[in-house]
Amino acid sequence: MVGLVTKLLFQIPLVILLQGFGAIISTAIGFGLICLLSYGEIMYEFHVPFGKLKVSLLVNIVFFAIVMGLTSGIHQVMMPSRLIPAFLYCVVFGLAALAIYIFMANRTGLSATMFEHKLGYKYFRYKHFQ
């Protein structure tokens, strides 16, 4: 209910100021408040140490910035409008983004924290088949 009330309070002023985008922002504000309240409740009930997730949060924020920069840069050069080129664009961009994320996770130690080993072909090949 708190998220719904927050959304309704922000909806009208933001729609007046930003038209259609205001509705999206008011929804994000309401959902963000729900997420913060949920984190507090999880910490209270289950004593989860969210301090250990700082590296994960930092990696995801940096990854978001890199992907947004790459997306805007690529859209300046190329914007596929047909089905097959758009599909190939998504495949190539998705694989490149995956490679960047795996590199960042391995470099910061996030993958070792989450999965107890580094991710990727090189690790799998050398550690398990010798």
Side-chain angles (χ1 to χ4, degrees):
M1 291 303 293
V2 173
L4 182 61
V5 170
T6 303
K7 178 189 170 32
L8 292 176
L9 287 176
F10 282 99
Q11 181 88 19
I12 293 171
L14 287 175
V15 167
I16 290 171
L17 289 173
L18 302 170
Q19 283 89 30
F21 195 59
I24 295 170
I25 292 178
S26 67
T27 302
I29 291 170
F31 185 68
L33 182 63
I34 291 170
C35 288
L36 288 175
L37 292 173
S38 297
Y39 283 141
E41 187 67 24
I42 289 170
M43 283 181 11
Y44 177 75
E45 288 289 327
F46 301 107
H47 308 290
V48 175
F50 283 110
K52 291 184 176 181
L53 299 178
K54 289 178 187 174
V55 174
S56 175
L57 182 64
L58 181 64
V59 166
N60 283 302
I61 289 171
V62 171
F63 178 70
F64 172 76
I66 289 171
V67 168
M68 290 305 293
L70 286 174
T71 303
S72 64
I74 290 172
H75 282 167
Q76 298 293 325
V77 177
M78 174 184 127
M79 183 68 160
S81 59
R82 296 190 156 274
L83 184 65
I84 300 299
F87 175 73
L88 293 174
Y89 169 81
C90 288
V91 168
V92 170
F93 190 78
L95 290 174
L98 177 65
I100 291 169
Y101 192 83
I102 288 174
F103 173 77
M104 289 173 53
N106 285 340
R107 194 73 154 168
T108 60
L110 178 63
S111 58
T113 302
M114 300 293 254
F115 303 111
E116 298 178 355
H117 60 81
K118 289 187 174 184
L119 300 175
Y121 176 75
K122 182 178 178 182
Y123 175 82
F124 186 78
R125 179 176 161 208
Y126 291 122
K127 295 286 184 181
H128 296 290
F129 290 114
Q130 287 184 344

